[in-house]
Amino acid sequence: MAEAERIIGTPDTPDAAGDGQERPDAEQEQKQEQAPERPRGKRRVAVLFAVALFAYLLDLGSKMLVVAKLEHHEPIEVIGDWLRFAAIRNAGAAFGFGEAFTIIFTVIAAAVIVVIARLARKLHSLPWAIALGLLLGGALGNLTDRIFRAPGVFEGAVVDFIAPKHFAVFNLADSAIVCGGILIVILSFRGLDPDGTVHKN
């Protein structure tokens, strides 16, 4: 009888041992499924700051070149009268609007940077990372001018140089801000949130 019980009980022993190991395995599988979320979020934040840095450095470099080579010189015709490079100092907002509110625009740019930095903590969408990166880089580019250029801190005039015919003169930071804004409108219209959630109408 004991021998029969031993034989019958033998298959149960691995099962019992297996039952004891199922819970940790299930927990590990759940952790493995959840683990990629954090790296993915970190990668999106990395993309955001990489795009922002690229836009910022491109804007900063172009302004330094314009100030050194183009300011106080005749405009350069790129496409006849339709597109020229002409250095001007703009105390207003993007495309030369609101020159009497330089300090207000400086505060707004700083606030935009803070909001984007806070929003980055829950960022899981690549298109949103690119859009916010463009906004951040453009805002930082113009804010740098506001702080470090004449006539004074937080009142500095932004360097603009891209001059299309029958349009306001602007710079690469303005272009990055506009492109980022347009992309955000498109993403919002399509129902895509920064955290990767998609809302279907």
Side-chain angles (χ1 to χ4, degrees):
M1 189 67 179
E3 184 66 19
E5 289 178 355
R6 186 180 67 79
I7 295 173
I8 296 173
T10 301
D12 293 337
T13 304
D15 291 341
D19 292 340
Q21 294 178 356
E22 281 182 0
R23 291 183 180 177
D25 291 344
E27 291 178 358
Q28 289 178 1
E29 289 179 0
Q30 291 178 355
K31 290 180 179 179
Q32 290 175 356
E33 291 177 356
Q34 295 175 357
E37 293 297 327
R38 289 184 179 178
R40 188 179 69 172
K42 290 181 179 179
R43 286 195 295 267
R44 299 299 183 260
V45 173
V47 170
L48 187 158
F49 287 113
V51 171
L53 181 62
F54 176 77
Y56 176 73
L57 293 179
L58 194 62
D59 176 69
L60 182 63
S62 66
K63 289 174 179 175
M64 292 175 64
L65 185 62
V66 165
V67 170
K69 301 296 185 180
L70 188 57
E71 198 168 36
H72 308 304
H73 291 78
E74 291 295 322
I76 298 175
E77 293 186 352
V78 181
I79 307 177
D81 292 336
W82 291 99
L83 179 63
R84 300 186 304 165
F85 289 160
I88 67 167
R89 297 294 182 110
N90 171 25
F95 307 110
F97 298 116
E99 294 186 4
F101 305 99
T102 304
I103 295 180
I104 295 176
F105 293 132
T106 303
V107 173
I108 292 174
V112 168
I113 293 171
V114 172
V115 170
I116 293 174
R118 291 176 61 88
L119 189 60
R121 294 182 300 177
K122 60 177 183 178
L123 185 63
H124 287 81
S125 168
L126 180 59
W128 270 96
I130 295 172
L132 294 177
L134 289 171
L135 282 180
L136 181 59
L140 284 172
N142 283 339
L143 184 61
T144 299
D145 283 358
R146 302 293 186 195
I147 295 175
F148 295 106
R149 296 194 187 278
V153 178
F154 300 120
E155 296 181 352
V158 174
V159 176
D160 289 336
F161 63 94
I162 303 173
K165 188 175 182 180
H166 305 309
F167 196 73
V169 184
F170 58 96
N171 56 43
L172 295 181
D174 297 331
S175 301
I177 292 171
V178 171
C179 291
I182 292 173
L183 183 54
I184 287 175
V185 171
I186 294 173
L187 295 174
S188 300
F189 181 77
R190 297 185 64 179
L192 180 61
D193 289 344
D195 62 0
T197 303
V198 179
H199 300 283
K200 296 182 179 179
N201 295 331

